[in-house]
Amino acid sequence: MSATLTQILEKGYARPEALVTTEWLAERLDDPSIRIVESNEDPLLYVQGHIRNAVEIDWVRDLNDPLRRDYLDAAGFQALLRRIGATSETIFVFYGDKNNWWATYAAWVFHLFGHTNVRIVDGGRLKWVKEGRELTKEVPTFAPTDYVAQPRNDERFRAYRDDVLRHLNAGNKLIDVRSPEEFNGTRLHMENYPNEGALRGGHIPGAKSVPWAKAVNPEDGTFLSADSLKALYEETAGLESTDDVVVYCRIGERSSHTWFVLRYLLGYENVRNYDGSWTEWGNSVGLPIEK
Amino acid sequence: MKPAKLQAVLEDLSVLERTERIEYLIALGEEYRNFSPEEVPRDATCRVPGCESEVYLGVSPLGEGLRLKFAVDNPQGISAMALATILDNSLSGEPLSQVSEISEDLIYDIFGRDLSMGKSMGLSGMVRMARDSARYGKPLAS
């Protein structure tokens, strides 16, 4: 067994195959079966330097519908994957800044199209850079493919407002990954960002507060061990691995990180991300709110 | 009225395509040199609120206004470094009456609209702190 695989296995995750180390990736930069994808919050970082052979997927331009509040459709996903030279067999290896926040968001969107053959680089860009590994400005080009996208299927991994209402009324569990100030309703929106604000503050009744970044080691961006994650989500927030869980934040990006943690690192089968999140719930008429 | 140097930077940026704009900003970010703690104290008074890149602002008299010294302690904070360079180059020494009227919305003129909320908060916090320091003559977190 390779040392890099052992590093992941030692952390005790339910689905360790979803995570790779920086060492693993460094040994496979030219592997044609994988496509390395960088997804960042900071739009300058990829251009400034990225892992060799990594393509960029931008969360705004590549994954969101430019007009409606929704993700790209099957035609858009197909065009994207053709452009980056992917096939249905391609293994996507995502990494990025901000503790892989945007990498997991991109991975979650890929799941909506049934492309679940994804990996996340433990520690993401931060760990790669801290280890002094090579970055390049050279943008790779891959021969376009004839990838055919499946229709988007939101049912399994995405929750809409009415799904959340039914979930709530059935007594199922929710995790709110926003900051404590947002959870408590003392902050309606981030200053100078009213587009992501809400008319009402608080949280969905019954939701437990577990800010998303608690799942990572801040010094290198790696995920906590399974035992530490269980302490966070199960002992503190009361989840059980058999639970039907909905996670949410403000627009569904931070919560995709927690979705990845629960689904892959702790092995929860039934986790959905409510991307309408607080910008929808806190602005909707008549929905229940708790403070 | 915007300070003339700032207006010139914004006009330069307005004609660039997205990729050109990013390369321009990266060049500015790579030109940035950080300030020591002796030059810019790393304390709560000087810290830019909402900026995850750990940015601090120190000021000193210069010309008709202030020298704006942004210390960026995150080596990955390339956007913060680019903005620090722009604000220093275009606002330092300019009349306080002009600097005190700048709007934090100028970050969208500089970086475009594709900024996440968190990134927007941090960068607009830098502009706001520069503006408010011009109003009160000292680093002042809004």
Side-chain angles (χ1 to χ4, degrees):
Chain A
M1 187 180 299
S2 73
T4 56
L5 185 56
T6 303
Q7 286 174 32
I8 297 292
L9 291 177
E10 282 175 347
K11 294 169 87 171
Y13 300 130
R15 294 173 176 149
E17 68 278 7
L19 213 55
V20 298
T21 62
T22 50
E23 291 88 345
W24 181 95
L25 180 57
E27 293 163 3
R28 290 167 177 79
L29 297 182
D30 298 302
D31 184 344
S33 70
I34 68 171
R35 181 66 69 245
I36 309 166
V37 179
E38 178 162 335
S39 286
N40 294 321
E41 178 183 56
D42 191 328
L44 304 191
L45 283 175
Y46 176 83
V47 181
Q48 189 194 20
H50 49 266
I51 296 174
R52 182 164 60 80
N53 278 335
V55 297
E56 181 184 30
I57 290 185
D58 181 87
W59 64 283
V60 175
R61 290 175 297 123
D62 293 322
L63 298 179
N64 277 272
D65 185 294
L67 185 60
R68 296 189 311 159
R69 181 176 175 184
D70 202 354
Y71 299 105
L72 73 178
D73 59 14
F77 189 71
Q78 180 169 291
L80 171 64
L81 267 64
R82 286 182 175 192
R83 175 167 61 81
I84 61 176
T87 72
S88 58
E89 306 300 315
T90 300
I91 300 167
F92 284 92
V93 180
F94 291 95
Y95 75 98
D97 66 349
K98 299 294 284 287
N99 300 328
N100 280 321
W101 170 351
W102 306 95
T104 52
Y105 182 67
W108 174 73
V109 173
F110 272 50
H111 276 66
L112 303 182
F113 294 95
H115 206 118
T116 58
N117 204 359
V118 303
R119 312 280 186 269
I120 300 292
V121 181
D122 199 16
R125 186 180 170 102
L126 174 66
K127 188 163 189 283
W128 184 274
V129 170
K130 276 196 160 186
E131 291 170 346
R133 297 183 186 277
E134 177 198 3
L135 294 176
T136 180
K137 291 179 187 282
E138 188 177 339
V139 177
T141 54
F142 297 101
T145 60
D146 57 358
Y147 182 90
V148 177
Q150 298 176 29
R152 200 181 77 203
N153 181 353
D154 295 336
E155 192 174 339
R156 187 161 180 210
F157 301 118
R158 186 182 187 190
Y160 287 90
R161 191 189 78 154
D162 289 348
D163 298 328
V164 177
L165 260 180
R166 281 192 292 274
H167 183 87
L168 172 66
N169 291 333
N172 289 318
K173 294 175 182 172
L174 295 114
I175 296 293
D176 184 319
V177 314
R178 298 173 299 160
S179 67
E181 294 79 13
E182 293 170 282
F183 181 81
N184 295 330
T186 52
R187 176 183 284 170
L188 289 177
H189 63 82
M190 298 299 188
E191 198 173 2
N192 295 313
Y193 225 90
N195 289 345
E196 292 188 17
L199 291 170
R200 292 289 183 271
H203 54 267
I204 298 175
K208 301 293 184 188
S209 171
V210 185
W212 71 280
K214 286 193 170 186
V216 298
N217 296 300
E219 63 274 9
D220 67 359
T222 55
F223 289 100
L224 301 182
S225 68
D227 284 346
S228 298
L229 292 172
K230 283 178 185 169
L232 187 62
Y233 293 101
E234 297 179 357
E235 292 169 28
T236 306
L239 294 186
E240 295 177 24
S241 61
T242 53
D243 283 338
D244 182 357
V245 184
V246 166
V247 295
Y248 71 95
C249 55
R250 194 178 47 255
I251 59 169
E253 12 73 322
R254 284 175 287 182
S255 45
S256 62
H257 190 273
T258 301
W259 169 84
F260 176 82
V261 169
L262 293 178
R263 173 166 178 76
Y264 284 106
L265 305 188
L266 293 183
Y268 286 44
E269 276 297 325
N270 299 308
V271 191
R272 286 172 293 162
N273 183 19
Y274 170 37
D275 58 281
S277 278
W278 198 253
T279 50
E280 180 178 53
W281 196 273
N283 282 314
S284 294
V285 175
L287 291 183
I289 289 175
E290 194 172 77
K291 276 198 175 182
Chain B
M1 185 172 72
K2 289 190 181 82
K5 290 180 188 171
L6 177 61
Q7 185 62 38
V9 170
L10 297 181
E11 285 172 8
D12 286 348
L13 283 164
S14 70
V15 299
L16 299 180
E17 298 292 331
R18 182 176 186 274
T19 305
E20 295 172 323
R21 172 194 302 262
I22 286 175
E23 287 170 353
Y24 177 93
L25 293 170
I26 288 171
L28 288 174
E30 290 178 343
E31 179 185 307
Y32 172 83
R33 294 291 172 268
N34 204 2
F35 294 91
S36 69
E38 290 71 37
E39 295 170 297
V40 179
R42 278 26 171 202
D43 60 27
T45 305
C46 295
R47 178 149 190 186
V48 176
C51 200
E52 292 185 19
S53 285
E54 287 196 40
V55 178
Y56 300 84
L57 174 60
V59 300
S60 55
L62 179 70
E64 297 181 64
L66 299 170
R67 171 81 196 278
L68 298 171
K69 297 175 285 190
F70 283 99
V72 182
D73 286 348
N74 176 4
Q76 288 287 294
I78 185 70
S79 291
M81 293 177 196
L83 183 59
T85 304
I86 289 173
L87 296 178
D88 186 10
N89 290 349
S90 63
L91 300 181
S92 287
E94 297 297 305
L96 293 176
S97 60
Q98 292 182 10
V99 178
S100 63
E101 293 301 319
I102 61 172
S103 164
E104 57 260 49
D105 284 351
L106 72 85
I107 63 164
Y108 299 111
D109 297 327
I110 295 172
F111 291 93
R113 288 272 158 191
D114 294 349
L115 287 173
S116 74
M117 192 203 68
K119 183 61 65 183
S120 169
M121 276 180 54
L123 296 173
S124 61
M126 290 174 66
V127 176
R128 208 162 43 249
M129 196 154 168
R131 179 195 66 200
D132 292 348
S133 297
R135 287 181 181 172
Y136 300 101
K138 61 183 180 182
L140 193 74
S142 300

